[in-house]
Amino acid sequence: MTAPRLTLPAHVYVDPGYFREEMERVFYTKWLCVGRASDVKNPGDYFLREIGPESLIVTRDETGKVRAHYNVCRHRGTRMCTEPAGSMKRIACPYHAWTYALDGQLVGAPHMADVRGFRVQDYPLRQAHCETWDGFVWLSLANEPAPLAQQLGSVRGKFANWQLEELVIGKRVEYEVKANWKLLVQNYSECLHCPVIHPALKKLTHYMSGDNEPANACYLGGTMMLNEGIKTMTMSGDTARAAMPNLTAEQRRLVYYYWITPNVLLSVHPDYVVSYTLWPKRVDLTHVRCDFLFHPSEVKKPGFTPDDAVELWHQVNQEDWGVSELAQLGIASRAYTPGPYSNREALLHGLDLVLTDRLPE
Ligand code: FES
Ligand SMILES: [Fe+2]
């Protein structure tokens, strides 16, 4: 008789030492989705992205290239930008007024001209690697990361019919969840809990209509079928928005839920897409950002509103965050020991292995 597969041990959710090691192994090494290219539409537009204690300035330089600079002055190390987003011509340090061009080159260093051996070209801002995929900006703090395409694997191209690059943000919502980031990924990846905690989903999709791909190192995902007469995932199941123009008949009847390593959750509906990014603040605290993306032709229509989609997911997300916080509390107890997965949770075991960097068996 084989023993049931078990959930992960407590320390991967509660131990600050494990968390530090995981930040190095995952968040300071892999490519991370930090926002949309449209967040830095014009040269000089910028936003800040915190990754643990690190702060990065994501901006577009004069040549149109999206770049990510560490928010650390090369003079005496001061953090320079503090506004979460904005527009600027130069990156200026508030301490002694060193200034940097948008490409990171040092262009102004008061009182340094008479310092022997000092050359401005020796002190550009430190940069992170930066790439875009379908309108999403990704960066990596690794010295020599593998190509982003390699990390994304075959999830790249999977949603080509949604024209992800063209989509525009209709609403951005942020949450702080008192749970380890992996609990949010696990919660997202199974719907056994759906009938228990998400009453609003019952009439939209059946929780057993899911069809999952096997877990792999790049992503884990699957589909759920919209119930008869349901047009999309909104409170009513209806919407004034048209489906994305290029979808197949099957794609109009499905909802796709994909975790993309390490910290992206992508929910793909016939008429809108939600991208969630998870940002661990502590071992037991995660910042979540949700972008609701729509086709530009819908956003231009008079009376366009994202509210029906936002309302549903705000409720469902709060239910998910709530139960994830309860899981965090329970796992932190001295009484916790790994528990058995059901057969319907087999994929979660594979996900656990990927999340803790062990390959699925
Ligand atoms: S620390 Fe930035 S100018 Fe001195
Ligand atoms: Fe849920």
Side-chain angles (χ1 to χ4, degrees):
M1 200 178 78
T2 55
R5 295 205 188 279
L6 300 179
T7 61
L8 290 170
H11 73 273
V12 308
Y13 302 107
V14 303
D15 176 12
Y18 183 90
F19 179 72
R20 277 194 297 277
E21 181 273 319
E22 183 179 61
M23 288 299 287
E24 283 297 337
R25 179 168 46 79
V26 179
F27 285 84
Y28 299 155
T29 301
K30 294 192 179 203
W31 289 96
L32 306 170
C33 175
V34 292
R36 295 285 291 170
S38 60
D39 288 325
V40 286
K41 202 174 277 158
N42 301 307
D45 291 351
Y46 78 94
F47 63 87
L48 301 183
R49 165 44 59 201
E50 288 183 6
I51 305 170
E54 299 291 352
S55 171
L56 277 295
I57 306 166
V58 180
T59 187
R60 192 180 289 275
D61 73 15
E62 274 97 355
T63 69
K65 187 172 160 40
V66 180
R67 292 178 178 271
H69 307 288
Y70 279 90
N71 194 0
V72 178
C73 180
R74 293 298 308 276
H75 179 217
R76 281 162 57 186
T78 303
R79 181 167 291 188
M80 300 178 292
C81 297
T82 50
E83 285 298 316
S87 186
M88 59 193 171
K89 287 205 159 44
R90 296 256 189 272
I91 302 166
C93 180
Y95 206 168
H96 315 93
W98 282 32
T99 53
Y100 303 85
L102 298 173
D103 65 1
Q105 291 307 308
L106 178 62
V107 291
H111 312 294
M112 294 300 291
D114 56 351
V115 176
R116 227 189 316 150
F118 172 81
R119 305 184 316 164
V120 286
Q121 57 266 41
D122 292 337
Y123 296 93
L125 294 178
R126 302 250 189 246
Q127 300 208 23
H129 297 269
C130 205
E131 284 195 35
T132 55
W133 162 60
D134 278 2
F136 294 101
V137 177
W138 295 69
L139 62 78
S140 169
L141 303 188
N143 288 334
E144 291 178 24
L148 172 62
Q150 189 176 318
Q151 182 177 306
L152 291 171
S154 58
V155 80
R156 220 162 58 102
K158 199 175 276 288
F159 302 111
N161 286 1
W162 280 258
Q163 301 170 280
L164 294 177
E165 187 159 4
E166 309 298 321
L167 304 187
V168 298
I169 298 174
K171 181 80 175 180
R172 174 167 279 168
V173 190
E174 316 226 16
Y175 301 92
E176 296 276 310
V177 187
K178 293 195 211 74
N180 182 268
W181 68 280
K182 295 186 294 300
L183 288 174
L184 304 190
V185 178
Q186 289 158 342
N187 168 271
Y188 182 81
S189 303
E190 56 91 358
C191 207
L192 281 190
H193 68 269
C194 291
V196 187
I197 70 167
H198 301 314
L201 294 185
K202 203 175 294 174
K203 75 171 188 188
L204 305 175
T205 49
H206 192 280
Y207 77 104
M208 297 287 265
S209 70
D211 192 11
N212 281 305
E213 293 190 40
N216 66 70
C218 301
Y219 63 89
L220 170 67
T223 56
M224 292 185 80
M225 180 93 63
L226 291 167
N227 288 340
E228 193 73 30
I230 297 297
K231 208 164 148 189
T232 189
M233 298 298 281
T234 56
M235 278 296 184
S236 67
D238 198 6
T239 184
R241 288 181 299 275
M244 302 278 174
N246 297 336
L247 302 192
T248 64
E250 187 193 21
Q251 288 169 339
R252 286 163 187 255
R253 299 303 310 147
L254 293 174
V255 190
Y256 299 74
Y257 298 109
Y258 275 73
W259 163 72
I260 303 171
T261 190
N263 67 331
V264 180
L265 309 175
L266 198 66
S267 300
V268 178
H269 312 82
D271 60 315
Y272 70 98
V273 171
V274 190
S275 72
Y276 302 80
T277 47
L278 311 180
W279 299 102
K281 312 284 275 185
R282 292 194 317 251
V283 69
D284 57 356
L285 181 67
T286 306
H287 184 91
V288 184
R289 185 161 85 179
C290 321
D291 284 345
F292 288 77
L293 306 171
F294 299 88
H295 195 271
S297 63
E298 289 302 311
V299 175
K300 278 190 209 121
K301 285 182 183 167
F304 163 81
T305 169
D307 291 352
D308 54 358
V310 174
E311 183 193 12
L312 173 75
W313 287 114
H314 179 63
Q315 178 176 321
V316 172
N317 287 334
Q318 284 188 309
E319 289 158 356
D320 279 329
W321 312 150
V323 84
S324 299
E325 290 181 346
L326 294 177
Q328 181 73 36
L329 290 171
I331 291 168
S333 163
R334 69 185 67 204
Y336 171 80
T337 49
Y341 279 130
S342 74
N343 289 338
R344 296 287 306 179
E345 295 166 305
L347 271 173
L348 282 192
H349 175 70
L351 177 65
D352 287 349
L353 296 176
V354 174
L355 284 173
T356 51
D357 254 4
R358 293 168 293 158
L359 287 178
E361 289 148 19

